[in-house]
Amino acid sequence: MVLKRPTIVLGADHAGVEIKEYIRGLLLEMDYVVEDVGAFGKESVDYPDYAERVGLAVRKKRDKKGILACGTGIGASIAANKIPGIRAALVVDENGAKLSREHNDANILVLGGRPFNKRKVKKILQVWLTSKFKGGRHKKRLEKIFGIEKRSARLK
Ligand code: RB5
């Protein structure tokens, strides 16, 4: 049986373009369908714009996942996590990659592109893409996060 791989939506600001291009190549080698929302050059752009594009695309479809990058990964993760239903995890090692899927059901992987190590990024990517949400006690905690989203929507 051939399992359908999820579509991966990619986005980055100018400081994350290089790591994004590297990741796109790896994903295509692994037969993932890739939707790249930019940026495509080194000209200065604003990371919230790309975080929003990736976040909205991922939010619409359960079988989509996203990967975002900016210089540190911090701004992109802060911005993406403003979208209800998005669980964007800034990951710096394989353990974080694994646990962000198993415990947090992260639907966006966020990486820092300045600097980045190709071998490390490849490993993080492989682990993140193949780790699965464990449910159980973690599901209850995600439900609490949905509760925060609902209550926050009512804040003025
Ligand atoms: C852009 O210079 C830089 O601020 C951005 O890529 C990111 O690191 C923000 O968190």
Side-chain angles (χ1 to χ4, degrees):
M1 191 179 72
V2 181
L3 286 178
K4 193 177 168 286
R5 296 193 185 280
T7 297
I8 309 289
V9 189
L10 283 181
D13 72 355
H14 55 288
V17 163
E18 208 175 316
I19 187 172
K20 173 174 74 64
E21 300 299 310
Y22 174 62
I23 289 170
R24 187 176 57 206
L26 294 175
L27 290 171
L28 293 174
E29 270 173 27
M30 291 188 268
D31 281 336
Y32 280 89
V33 177
V34 174
E35 265 177 47
D36 191 337
V37 302
F40 298 103
K42 293 281 168 73
E43 187 190 329
S44 181
V45 291
D46 300 325
Y47 60 81
D49 297 334
Y50 297 90
E52 186 173 16
R53 287 184 200 175
V54 172
L56 291 178
V58 169
R59 185 182 186 230
K60 259 197 249 160
K61 292 216 166 177
R62 281 186 74 86
D63 61 340
K64 271 192 187 174
K65 287 197 168 61
I67 301 180
L68 267 171
C70 62
T72 56
I74 296 171
S77 55
I78 291 173
N81 280 315
K82 297 293 176 193
I83 299 174
I86 290 303
R87 293 174 301 281
L90 173 54
V91 167
V92 296
D93 58 21
E94 286 169 51
N95 188 49
K98 181 171 179 278
L99 295 181
S100 74
R101 290 288 308 125
E102 291 184 355
H103 290 195
N104 315 114
D105 198 16
N107 47 14
I108 298 184
L109 168 67
V110 190
L111 297 166
R114 275 182 183 165
F116 76 97
N117 172 303
K118 286 190 172 176
R119 266 182 56 183
K120 192 170 175 182
V121 167
K122 186 173 184 179
K123 201 67 213 158
I124 285 175
L125 186 66
Q126 285 165 338
V127 169
W128 194 77
L129 291 169
T130 53
S131 300
K132 302 242 178 317
F133 182 51
K134 282 197 160 165
R137 67 185 191 279
H138 306 296
K139 190 160 182 281
K140 181 187 80 180
R141 293 164 187 164
L142 288 195
E143 275 153 16
K144 291 197 171 192
I145 294 177
F146 299 143
I148 296 174
E149 288 178 349
K150 275 198 196 137
R151 291 188 295 281
S152 305
R154 294 196 292 266
L155 292 175
K156 291 263 156 53

